[in-house]
Amino acid sequence: MSFEAVLRFLRLRDREPEEQLRAIHQQRELLGALSDRELKNRVRDVHRSPDIAFVCAAAAVIAQRVLGLSMFDVQLLGALALARGEIAEMQTGEGKTLAAVPAIVWYAHKRRGVHVLTANDYLARRDAEWMRGIYEWFGLTVAHIGQDMSASQRRAAYACDITHATANEVGFDSLRDGLALAREEVVQRPFAFAVIDEADSILIDEARIPLVIAGGLADDPALACRVDRLVAALHPRIHYFVDNFARNVQLTDAGIRRLEASLGTGSLFDPQNLRVLTAIQDALHARVLLRRDVDYIVKQNAVELVDEFKGRIAQNRRWPAGLQSAIEAKEQVALKTQGRILGSITVQALAGLYEGICGMTGTAATQADEFWRVYKLPVCVIPTNRPMIRHDLPDVVFPTRSVRDEAVVEEIRRTHATERPVLVGTASVEESERLSSRLRAAGIPHSVLNARNDEAEAQIIAQAGALGALTISTNMAGRGTDILLGGNPPQERERVIELGGLYVIGTTRHEARRIDHQLRGRAGRQGDPGQSRFFISLEDDLLVRFGIGNNPDIESVQRTAESQNIEIRQLLWKYETVVEQHRREMRAWRQEILDAPDWSVRSMTGAELYSELAGQVGEDLLERAGRRIALLILDDLWADYLANVAELKGGIHWVSWGGRDPLYEFLKGERAIFEEFERLVPLEVRAAFETAEIENGELKFASEQRFERGATWTYLTTDEPFGRLGERIIKGLRRRMRSFLRH
């Protein structure tokens, strides 16, 4: 896009970016005339008198010298949007990674640390190394966080001016720091600023996923395996029924009687049978609602979750403990250790710890309302550098999946015969392999990219735009790699352009329009030609779930689905807000015990007991032992708090059926649980000192072994795999409203 075209675009929006862009061009010309030494000396003073126009101009000049890349005006607009604390929507292939650099430098000048959060470890490492040369010209240090790094390596990385990492790694490090028993064990410094790549994926798709740190012993697999065998013998519509809309399954009276007889437990609903009833419900969910090769795959004798938005294996992720065990029992693989949850935080809560955040993505406009309501982040849509000439054809709708699949294969066969590259987006591993089987039967060579072979992702994507290439893929969100026409290297680029560029075929529509837009966006990058089309069946999950007739308005259906999902996420956040507030209060209390110079265990033991023990072992030793035992007790009781809140949440939806407000009941119950936690911490610390013994001048606590947590591990969990809280509460509230209107 020419400078004049950019200015015309800006005049329709806001005069300030127009003035800044002019200033950038003026300073870019002046800085471009300096020698390397003069430019380095000039830019290293940026932290003394920061000016965003100067930073953008300097970054553009340095990028040209270091990387040989010339920053477009639209990239500078993206940088300005990030510096204003906005979400910048930039299309695939527009150079988001380089566009973020001036904003990252702008935030880093305060020397308090900038976290650049991205979709996976590969991109964190790649971007840190790729842009390192630019940052170093500004005198800034940069590092990345990788899964296999030691604590000392992580500490050094977080001490840098710029740290590239996934949100998960940053969150897990925060959780581990939250269990530190000494200041030197902490690896992070206080959070300041975050620039978030793939912001819609991190702040919306993954926002509700809890990051968990756990410890303890392995669970007994016997109950899960026994219950699975019994549930496998039940019959639908006789022993249980399925509510497809709510994605819920419930036992019938006949099913309850059969299980009670088989287990010999008496009533399953007696309080002593709660553990068994929960295991049964988890087994039902695993058997009836979760599908192999759709929701998960079995790989190397382990259950691996599939990320529905990215089509990859969701690394290090589990379902809630009982449900995970139920799936593993169903698939007859070794049960993973679940242990006791010691700490948890959602990505949304993690984002709230930063003083300031901004982000970029290829698709944000359809979620602009949610970005603003949840994060107070406005969305700025950046124009493309070159006109978008991709041809998006109207959807083709078929009555059944089988007819749709036949039409897709025929469309692929016809296009592939011309050697035009084709990318086919599917919704699941199962669907991608079903289509692959049809293509093999038709003798059409192709590549498949799904969760079974995501190790080959980079190689497959690199050649997806080559002449004659045919690629079948699960969802393309967050892949982080452009498809180059003609392959990589683009030897046949001109021939592919003559054929019309990459042809993208979607085999279904997603609930979120932006996921479809991400698939479309793989074609037509940087003014290249391209084409996209969706082939839809009336039997697709989206249309079945929302009960659409023979003439579906897909956009309307998707808006309905998006609205419902926003409603659920916001309802769930109302439940989590108070928990997050109490988590922050706990962490502040813990931080005070850990390293506040004026904190003393006297506040928990009382003056008399403190003086007695200080006289026997000395005040310094007493304080050191006091901090340690207080931290261990606080962590142990916090784990109890988390378990009690999870139990409260798990059953709270039932109160809506009794006419009570579940949110009010939850807030009341959670407050009581937290107040009990606050009450017990000093009491248990005092009790530990009252029973302590002195051996060789050292304090020995009889109860310390109970508080030791042993080995710990981190993982993600799918907090609401079936909308058990959100959808059930909403459904219950709607049921109450209908009943009210009838009467």
Side-chain angles (χ1 to χ4, degrees), residues 286-448:
R287 281 279 174 184
V288 178
L289 298 181
L290 290 177
R291 294 173 292 170
R292 183 169 176 165
D293 294 337
V294 176
D295 301 295
Y296 64 90
I297 64 172
V298 177
K299 188 174 184 179
Q300 297 178 349
N301 201 37
V303 170
E304 302 279 6
L305 277 73
V306 175
D307 188 316
E308 65 173 309
F309 297 103
K310 299 184 179 71
R312 296 188 184 97
I313 288 176
Q315 295 291 344
N316 198 26
R317 187 179 298 180
R318 308 180 188 181
W319 277 287
L323 183 57
Q324 179 74 30
S325 297
I327 299 164
E328 290 163 347
K330 166 190 171 183
E331 298 296 343
Q332 299 182 5
V333 302
L335 271 65
K336 289 182 179 178
T337 300
Q338 302 297 339
R340 185 184 188 207
I341 293 178
L342 304 175
S344 177
I345 187 171
T346 64
V347 173
Q348 183 172 342
L350 183 73
L353 300 180
Y354 288 94
E355 181 179 313
I357 62 173
C358 60
M360 52 188 176
T361 180
T363 47
T366 58
Q367 305 293 148
D369 182 55
E370 188 166 5
F371 275 123
W372 178 252
R373 283 202 278 176
V374 176
Y375 300 102
K376 295 297 182 283
L377 289 172
V379 171
C380 179
V381 179
I382 307 297
T384 56
N385 182 51
R386 295 176 180 170
M388 174 68 71
I389 60 173
R390 185 185 67 232
H391 189 197
D392 296 327
L393 298 172
D395 296 347
V396 187
V397 182
F398 300 89
T400 65
R401 283 179 179 154
S402 61
V403 174
R404 185 269 314 278
D405 291 348
E406 290 174 5
V408 168
V409 171
E410 176 57 27
E411 181 76 353
I412 291 171
R413 185 200 61 73
R414 182 187 62 78
T415 307
H416 184 66
T418 70
E419 295 193 295
R420 183 181 189 181
V422 179
L423 171 68
V424 185
T426 62
S428 67
V429 174
E430 179 184 55
E431 187 177 339
S432 69
E433 294 184 344
R434 187 172 65 241
L435 178 57
S436 176
S437 177
R438 284 176 173 263
L439 293 174
R440 284 198 305 272
I444 302 175
H446 60 281
S447 298
V448 179

Side-chain angles (χ1 to χ4, degrees), residues 697-716:
E698 297 284 336
L699 277 168
K700 302 293 182 182
F701 297 98
S703 57
E704 185 167 354
Q705 187 174 0
R706 177 169 71 89
F707 301 126
E708 292 287 359
R709 48 185 171 260
T712 60
W713 58 92
T714 56
Y715 61 91
L716 292 85

Side-chain angles (χ1 to χ4, degrees), residues 345 349 353 573 576-585:
I345 187 171
L353 300 180
W573 183 238
E576 290 299 322
T577 297
V578 65
V579 177
E580 174 58 18
Q581 177 59 39
H582 287 153
R583 191 194 66 80
R584 292 192 186 196
E585 291 178 22

Side-chain angles (χ1 to χ4, degrees), residues 241-243 245-251 269 277-278 280-286 289 323 545 564 567-569 571-572 575 646-663 719-738:
F241 64 87
V242 181
D243 180 347
F245 184 83
R247 299 186 67 197
N248 188 27
V249 57
Q250 291 184 343
L251 291 169
F269 298 93
L277 180 60
T278 301
I280 290 170
Q281 194 66 31
D282 286 333
L284 267 175
H285 281 304
L289 298 181
L323 183 57
R545 187 178 182 200
Q564 183 182 96
E567 185 180 6
I568 291 171
R569 284 194 292 267
L571 176 64
L572 290 174
Y575 283 77
E647 184 176 345
L648 174 67
K649 187 197 295 184
I652 202 67
H653 63 278
W654 295 111
V655 306
S656 66
W657 292 23
R660 291 180 289 162
D661 180 354
L663 178 59
D719 191 33
E720 301 294 335
F722 311 108
R724 280 191 293 186
L725 179 62
E727 289 189 359
R728 289 184 189 182
I729 288 175
I730 287 175
K731 185 177 178 183
L733 292 174
R734 288 170 179 161
R735 181 183 295 108
R736 287 170 54 197
M737 181 60 70
R738 286 195 298 268

Side-chain angles (χ1 to χ4, degrees), residues 600-614 622 682 685-686 689-690:
S600 173
V601 74
R602 182 197 301 265
S603 62
M604 295 187 180
T605 61
E608 184 177 344
L609 179 58
Y610 182 89
S611 298
E612 178 186 339
L613 292 173
L622 179 60
V685 172
R686 179 178 177 84
F689 276 101
E690 287 175 337

